């Protein structure tokens, strides 16, 4: 890793930097903080399972690591950041592969789980409470930026993609995994399950998915884009697309985070892509 500028900062040096210009939280950041602080208890058990695995698996369907190129297998000496780290198991795998890692998350309650698990597993990560759209690190601090269902779906792409670009060194990698836009247009807009096999909303213009009034699992504001819009955003920002994957749920899989409706969702995701993985390189 070349000339790191920030390696000596600790958790205590950080401030919560997720502020708009007028000093308040953006609406979606405030709502997502409330949502995730209240939802965090539901993620303790999945986080514990994932931290304890002998090999990483990724996404809602537990796709094995050798089928998804989310992380390099050797990260020796690299500086890495996880944007929306949640319970932190992606950060843990980056440390285990040799990287020095910062995990930023908007929810203090999620970070509470991450800190505990890191302590129990003896994994050293710098945890920051803050907004992945405004990360308190200098330009070109990192070689790798990653998100698995963190900034990838909960942050505004017009904000977090340029922010990830700013944080990376030229040639650095941004990899993220989140919902496939096809899945988002097949979820009923009222948030009822199961996901449908027919289109439920427009594809063109797909942007912001506000689940605050959802009939099931209400809360949170997500973001997504038509695939061609993602390509355009990456190009305008200064990223080249290295790889694009659409993940298929294995036969008989059950989703990590869902109880009711899970089997229907799994059958859907075996037929159509529910998850996408982008791997980008900063020009
Ligand atoms: C599904 S979890 C991430 C899963 C993660 N891979 C794990 O191991 O737990 C989504 C996370 O994104 C975080 N998040 C949402 N908005 C964020 C923002 N603006 N900045 C940073 N983190 C955010 C939430 O607080 C939550 O912990």
């Amino acid at each position: 890793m070349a000339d790191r500028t920030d390696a000596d900062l600790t958790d205590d040096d950080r401030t919560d930097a997720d502020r708009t210009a007028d000093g308040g939280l953006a609406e979606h950041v405030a709502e997502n903080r409330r949502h995730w602080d209240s939802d965090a208890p539901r993620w303790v058990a999945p986080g514990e399972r994932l931290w304890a695995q002998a090999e990483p698996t990724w996404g809602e369907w537990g796709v094995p690591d050798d089928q998804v190129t989310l992380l390099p297998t050797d990260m020796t000496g690299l500086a890495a950041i996880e944007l929306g780290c949640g319970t932190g198991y992606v950060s843990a795998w980056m440390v285990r592969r040799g990287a020095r890692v910062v995990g930023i998350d908007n929810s203090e309650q999620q970070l509470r789980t991450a800190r505990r698990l890191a302590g129990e597993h003896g994994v050293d990560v710098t945890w920051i409470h803050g907004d992945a759209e405004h990360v308190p690190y200098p330009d070109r601090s990192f070689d790798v930026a990653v998100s698995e269902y963190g900034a990838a779906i909960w942050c505004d792409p017009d904000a977090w993609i340029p922010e990830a670009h700013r944080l990376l060194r030229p040639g650095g990698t941004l990899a993220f995994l989140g919902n496939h836009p096809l899945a988002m247009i097949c979820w009923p807009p009222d948030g009822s399950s199961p996901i449908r096999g027919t289109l439920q909303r427009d594809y063109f213009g797909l942007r912001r998915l506000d689940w605050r009034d959802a009939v099931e699992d209400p809360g949170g504001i997500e973001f997504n884009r038509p695939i061609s819009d993602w390509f355009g955003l990456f190009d305008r920002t200064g990223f080249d697309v290295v790889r694009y994957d659409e993940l298929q749920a294995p036969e008989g899989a059950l989703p990590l985070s869902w109880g009711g409706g899970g089997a229907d969702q799994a059958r859907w995701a075996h037929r159509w892509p529910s998850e996408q993985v982008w791997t980008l390189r900063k020009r």
Side-chain angles (χ1 to χ4, degrees):
M1 177 199 61
D3 42 279
R4 234 176 104 78
T5 54
D6 55 345
D8 296 326
L9 294 176
T10 69
D11 276 11
D12 295 339
D13 296 314
R14 312 292 173 193
T15 55
D16 180 346
D18 46 352
R19 305 283 169 210
T20 56
D22 66 0
L25 292 177
E27 183 192 33
H28 64 277
V29 177
E31 164 56 16
N32 290 339
R33 176 169 295 183
R34 185 207 60 72
H35 174 64
W36 276 101
D37 277 341
S38 90
D39 214 29
R42 202 160 65 88
W43 289 82
V44 172
E48 288 173 344
R49 277 203 309 278
L50 290 163
W51 271 81
Q53 285 181 173
E55 294 293 333
T57 56
W58 306 117
E60 197 64 359
W61 310 109
V63 177
D65 185 53
D66 59 5
Q67 294 174 28
V68 184
T69 53
L70 191 67
L71 300 183
T73 47
D74 182 4
M75 299 185 71
T76 306
L78 297 180
I81 184 164
E82 185 180 1
L83 301 165
C85 60
T87 61
Y89 79 92
V90 180
S91 290
W93 281 106
M94 292 197 286
V95 172
R96 289 165 178 157
R97 291 180 178 189
R100 282 184 281 169
V101 179
V102 171
I104 184 168
D105 200 277
N106 190 28
S107 161
E108 191 55 74
Q109 297 311 312
Q110 287 277 85
L111 286 173
R112 182 191 297 261
T113 304
R115 286 195 180 93
R116 174 175 65 78
L117 290 170
E120 289 172 13
H121 288 266
V123 170
D124 188 18
V125 176
T126 299
W127 305 109
I128 306 174
H129 183 221
D131 175 10
E133 296 178 8
H134 305 280
V135 177
Y137 271 80
D139 298 358
R140 298 184 292 280
S141 289
F142 298 98
D143 304 292
V144 176
V146 172
S147 174
E148 193 219 27
Y149 279 110
I153 68 166
W154 298 101
C155 289
D156 183 345
D158 282 332
W160 84 269
I161 295 290
E163 181 67 347
H165 187 271
R166 182 188 72 76
L167 291 165
L168 286 169
R169 302 188 175 112
T173 298
L174 169 61
F176 66 95
L177 186 161
N179 297 314
H180 195 290
L182 182 62
M184 294 297 92
I185 60 172
C186 289
W187 273 110
D190 70 359
S192 58
S193 56
I195 187 170
R196 307 295 203 267
T198 53
L199 306 179
Q200 303 291 308
R201 68 167 91 210
D202 292 348
Y203 180 70
F204 293 117
L206 180 65
R207 281 278 186 286
R208 183 177 149 113
L209 299 122
D210 188 335
W211 301 114
R212 284 176 289 187
D213 295 325
V215 295
E216 289 170 46
D217 193 24
I221 298 171
E222 293 180 38
F223 296 85
N224 215 313
R225 295 279 165 100
I227 292 170
S228 54
D229 284 19
W230 282 114
F231 271 102
L233 174 61
F234 300 146
D235 187 44
R236 286 193 303 280
T237 307
F239 280 115
D240 291 325
V241 176
V242 174
R243 196 177 160 126
Y244 178 65
D245 290 305
E246 297 170 306
L247 302 189
Q248 182 181 27
E251 187 89 55
L254 276 178
L256 176 72
S257 61
W258 279 66
D264 290 322
Q265 201 190 339
R267 276 191 291 275
W268 191 101
H270 188 65
R271 297 183 67 194
W272 297 292
S274 71
E275 297 184 316
Q276 60 180 358
V277 185
W278 292 97
T279 307
L280 314 174
R281 181 165 301 123
K282 177 173 173 168
R283 287 198 280 270

